[in-house]
Amino acid sequence: MNEQPGDDERTTRPYESGTGNSRWWPTTRRRLLQATAAAGGLAAIGNSTLAQESETIELGGETSGWQGVAPDEIEGETNPTLELEEGTTYELTWENLDGQAHNIVIVDGDGEELERTELLAEEGETQTLEFEATSEMAEYYCEPHAGTMRGEVSIDGETDDETGDESEDGEVPAFFDPGAEIGLQSVAEGMTAPTDFAVIGGGQDQDQDQYLVADQTGELWLVDGDGRREEPFLDVSDRLVELGTFEGSYADPNQDYDERGLLGVEVHPNFAENCRFFVHYSAPPNDETPEGWSHVEVISEFHASGDRSEADPDSETVLLEFQKPQYNHDAGPMAFGPDGYLYVPMGDGGGANDDMEGHLEDWYDENAGGNGQNVTDTLLGGIHRIDVDAESDDKPYAIPDDNPLVDVDDAIDEYYAWGFRNPFGISFDSDGRLFVSDAGQDLYEEANLVEAGGNYGWNVKEGTHCFSTDSPSDPPADCPDAAPDEPPYNGQELQDPIVEYPHVYEGETVGITIIGGHVYEADQLEELQGKYVFGDWTSDPARQAPAGRLLAASEPTDDDGGSGDDGGSDDNETADTNSSDDADGGEEDVEAIPRDELWEMEELQVSGTDDGSFPYFVRQFGQDGDGNVYVLANREGVPSGDTGVVMKIVPSGEGDDISVSEDGADEQESDEEATEDTQDEDEDQGDGTDSNETDNNETDGNETDNET
């Protein structure tokens, strides 16, 4: 928020044509093979022994739902019930209406797969599934969009009312338990898409808090007790890549969704004395950028004026540059650790699978690519740790002597940890523990407790589960639980997350892109004390509505059967067998998430809304010196408009009314042309106005919602 979040990236995106990645929608071990139309023709999937004469069903496939075309009885209906006769052969033909990845799965009343096609992602293409109707058939759906593209199957006039697990009141159980009730109090408004938050004063020892809030369009805003200042503290919009304009072959040139921009701000621990601060932004390609690559992610130092009321735009010192092959998976915030060093996350390069152009080979031959597992040739896909208070012979920073790969052959010294897809949210708690969320691709989102030298699995694994570049929605049953026993890996075990949740549970969308947060350490809300507060970009499977989730995770105690301090399995290691309990992609059973090895998760209930939900896209989180947590959000899916807001988490009785009128909700639009995450994710980011856009970085009205 993926990345923005943003961030995108999953098989809900269009096929990456022209990338050389011919294996993007490969054959899986399923018995049904891909059927795609060539030059407007039609290919069929089915059993060649079936009768030649068959009944015809025609549908249109788009993220918002299956659209009935034929027969006449279903024309114009969304997710129509398919009336079938047992023993009759049918040809179900559907056309891709929106260029997103879709397929057809038919299941029985227990959710067991009976028929399945491969994903089809080119707008206008058609696909036919030929099958014989059986009495077991109960539902049909699209795997990547199971929450919205889902309908019933009626055999001989009967439907299966037992499909899915329901509670006693007939409702499908939610993945997250209802959690603490909170209020949200606005402290700043009028931004476009706030991406990060840093404290430059305030707390118990000062009269008034002051914060810096980064805006994706390039402005860094100073916020105090009176709200957002009129003029930016710093404006780097003229140094940004032009948002909504894309180099390379991955992004749709007509999309407005973008994960690039001003993505992070962090002040020096001694900012009050030295006025130094650091920003992360996306710059245009430079002389070092390979031909056809997207842009450059930049980490720079700036200085503020003596009274700390504004920044000196001419004081920039570039510390790090990351050449990016694709526009997404750019990570976001940075963090200073208790050791005084700057921790800088960076995504795997973008695209999907970590196997496209610019994604290098690694030690795991079963999957293509693998920047996340390559610590020899690239800084993409890791967390980096640098000393900004010293310099080396050829760099404007120094490498801490105790970085885990210092003096290791065939390794890059900057690495602190690796195996990340799109680390979107980083924070330290008062105990010095490092929390990093990582936006998933097709199936799972995760957050990790990160330690020096840790390998967090991507692209061998997605969360606690195996991952395959050949079949990202259909993971293999087995994969390694450790890297090779040779330098620079030396047999290190792949670390499992402390938080994991699926994209879809019991046919309902859970989330799309995780947004990392902070451990709540303020005194105001006892029920949040010590919990990791984080979120998801939006729970709308169509990626159009601002429907974020605010979440919290509690560390298990010994009484809970957990492992205590590390919050995971013993030594935070992968389970004995890395196996996928459910390979059906869009329909994950609860057993597929190892809840007994994870922190306990809950969904926070927001007062000031009709139903406790959060009617915004979650963009990022911040924390002040007193341990209060802030939510950075907006109501646009792209960097446009002025709906950006910073809200402080407060007791439920002290929050603002943040419900949105029907008219406001109806104004949130998008064109569904984003290519991915965003994340990938993200987070990973609606149709907005132009009231707060910069001259070079504004987008027009037909915007796309997507994720980091």
Side-chain angles (χ1 to χ4, degrees), residues 3 8 26 43 95 108 118 167 181 186 201 230 298 305 396 433 474 478 505 519 549 580 585 622 630 693 699:
E3 280 195 53
D8 295 270
E95 178 184 357
D108 64 17
E118 285 297 327
S167 59
E181 184 176 8
S186 176
E230 277 300 315
V298 177
S305 59
R433 297 181 300 178
D474 185 13
D478 299 294
Y505 174 66
V519 173
R549 291 189 190 272
S580 295
Y630 296 74
E693 296 166 353
T699 58

Side-chain angles (χ1 to χ4, degrees), residues 464-590:
T464 62
H465 306 264
C466 299
F467 178 81
S468 170
T469 56
D470 283 340
S471 53
S473 289
D474 185 13
D478 299 294
C479 58
D481 58 8
D485 192 13
E486 58 187 38
Y489 304 100
N490 299 318
Q492 64 175 177
E493 295 177 334
L494 306 185
Q495 304 298 299
D496 278 347
I498 60 168
V499 164
E500 179 184 76
Y501 59 90
H503 288 187
V504 176
Y505 174 66
E506 295 292 342
E508 299 295 327
T509 299
V510 176
I512 292 173
T513 300
I514 192 171
I515 309 297
H518 300 262
V519 173
Y520 186 88
E521 301 190 78
D523 297 329
Q524 288 192 316
L525 284 162
E526 183 178 354
E527 54 268 50
L528 282 187
Q529 275 284 344
K531 295 181 180 181
Y532 178 61
V533 177
F534 63 106
D536 191 275
W537 183 59
T538 182
S539 59
D540 174 32
R543 296 167 174 80
Q544 297 182 24
R549 291 189 190 272
L550 301 181
L551 307 166
S554 305
E555 183 176 9
T557 64
D558 292 337
D559 292 339
D560 297 327
S563 57
D565 291 343
D566 66 9
S569 58
D570 291 345
D571 297 325
N572 197 23
E573 298 170 6
T574 301
D576 292 341
T577 58
N578 275 322
S579 61
S580 295
D581 298 323
D582 187 315
D584 290 342
E587 289 297 293
E588 291 298 324
D589 293 334
V590 66

